């Protein structure tokens, strides 16, 4: 009697690697963001009107474009609500009232940080910090173009307000430098209230301008800066409002 032994060697088997990934949704409480599409939809005339669509935020102040303020959760003074444009804090030397003279069509995004969420922004952000950023030249240019611009004119029947603005820009990603220039002017008389009474001293004049430059000396490096200036003359004693600000970014 003989015994036959069979043996089998199991082959080493390597299972396929399974990767499991998860992306945490990080949303800072009390922060709202508007993109270019949301900014353009209401066809607003000022930054304050752009933000009027957000919950807990509304435009207030006078009917003058340069006299509007942003009310966030009941906070509205410049000491409580800080407004930044491309990193530069918007300040006014008269009445401490106003938001920004920028054309909403030039804005690429706006963040509203409600409450004292961070100490990064310094004084003036106890009620809220509003961070607005203008579009880049690439975002403004039509496909395949390196030079562009637009002009706008509007009229408001109440008070006969006439507003004009012109912007020109050139450059783009294929060039080593960008330039964006913008000027605006508005003029109006005294408006009427809802019961057809004259709103005394509600008229005035306003001029503003902005220049934004960017230079890319090497790939992955950019030196950018911008400056703004604005002046408004209201129909009231001492009713002049002037502002100037700028920022330099690397």
């Amino acid at each position: 009697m003989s015994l036959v032994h069979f043996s089998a060697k199991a082959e080493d088997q390597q299972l396929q690697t399974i990767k499991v990934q998860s992306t945490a949704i990080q949303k800072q409480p009390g922060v709202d963001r508007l993109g270019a599409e949301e900014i353009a939809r209401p066809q607003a005339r000022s930054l304050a009107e752009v933000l009027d669509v957000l919950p807990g935020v509304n435009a207030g102040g006078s009917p003058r474009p340069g006299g509007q303020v942003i009310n966030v959760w009941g906070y509205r003074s410049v000491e409580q609500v800080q407004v930044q444009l491309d990193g530069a804090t918007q300040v006014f030397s008269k009445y401490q009232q106003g938001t920004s003279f920028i054309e909403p069509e030039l804005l690429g995004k706006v963040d509203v940080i409600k409450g004292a969420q961070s100490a990064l922004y310094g004084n003036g952000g106890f009620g809220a910090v509003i961070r607005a950023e203008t579009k880049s030249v690439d975002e403004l240019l039509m496909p395949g173009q390196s030079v562009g611009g637009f002009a706008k004119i509007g009229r408001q029947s109440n008070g006969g307000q006439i507003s004009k603005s012109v912007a020109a820009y050139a450059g783009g990603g294929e060039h080593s430098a960008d330039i964006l220039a913008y000027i605006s002017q508005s003029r109006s008389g005294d408006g009427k209230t809802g019961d057809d009474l004259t709103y005394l001293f509600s008229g005035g004049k306003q001029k503003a301008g902005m220049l934004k430059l960017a230079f890319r000396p090497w790939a992955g490096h950019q030196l950018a800066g911008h400056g703004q200036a604005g002046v408004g003359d209201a129909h009231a004693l001492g009713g002049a409002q002037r502002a100037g600000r700028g920022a330099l970014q690397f």
Side-chain angles (χ1 to χ4, degrees), residues 59-65 67-69 76 97 156-161 188-204 234-236:
S62 75
R64 305 186 190 107
Q68 291 183 335
V69 295
R76 56 179 291 170
Q97 187 170 335
Q156 181 176 303
S157 58
N158 191 354
Q161 178 180 330
S188 67
D190 291 341
K192 296 282 188 178
T193 63
D195 50 0
D196 202 33
L197 297 177
T198 300
Y199 194 148
L200 296 177
F201 309 121
S202 60
H235 295 167

Side-chain angles (χ1 to χ4, degrees), residues 133-194:
E133 294 185 11
T134 54
K135 295 178 180 178
S136 65
V137 172
D138 275 323
E139 293 175 306
L140 291 167
L141 288 171
M142 299 292 289
Q145 301 296 318
S146 60
V147 178
F150 67 83
K152 296 177 64 177
I153 184 170
R155 185 182 186 279
Q156 181 176 303
S157 58
N158 191 354
Q161 178 180 330
I162 298 176
S163 59
K164 297 171 286 185
S165 61
V166 177
Y169 35 86
E174 298 181 356
H175 300 268
S176 60
D178 295 337
I179 182 171
L180 166 62
Y182 163 78
I183 57 174
S184 69
Q185 182 181 17
S186 67
R187 180 181 59 187
S188 67
D190 291 341
K192 296 282 188 178
T193 63

Side-chain angles (χ1 to χ4, degrees), residues 28 31-35 39 47 50-51 54 70 72 81-90 100 102 107-114 118 120-122 125 128-134 249:
Q28 188 176 357
V31 177
D32 293 314
R33 169 170 290 187
L34 294 175
I39 293 172
L47 176 60
V50 167
L51 301 176
L54 294 175
I70 301 173
V72 181
V81 178
Q82 183 181 139
V83 180
Q84 295 184 356
L85 180 63
D86 288 337
T89 302
Q90 308 296 281
S100 176
I102 192 67
L107 295 176
K109 68 175 181 178
V110 181
D111 292 335
V112 179
I113 306 172
K114 302 174 183 177
S118 174
L120 295 175
Y121 310 107
V129 175
I130 297 168
R131 301 184 62 192
E133 294 185 11
T134 54
Q249 300 173 343

Side-chain angles (χ1 to χ4, degrees), residues 1 14-15 37 40 56 88 92 165 167 199 202 220 228:
M1 180 176 180
Q14 185 175 1
L15 298 177
E37 184 178 346
F92 293 82
S165 61
Y199 194 148
S202 60
Q228 285 181 271

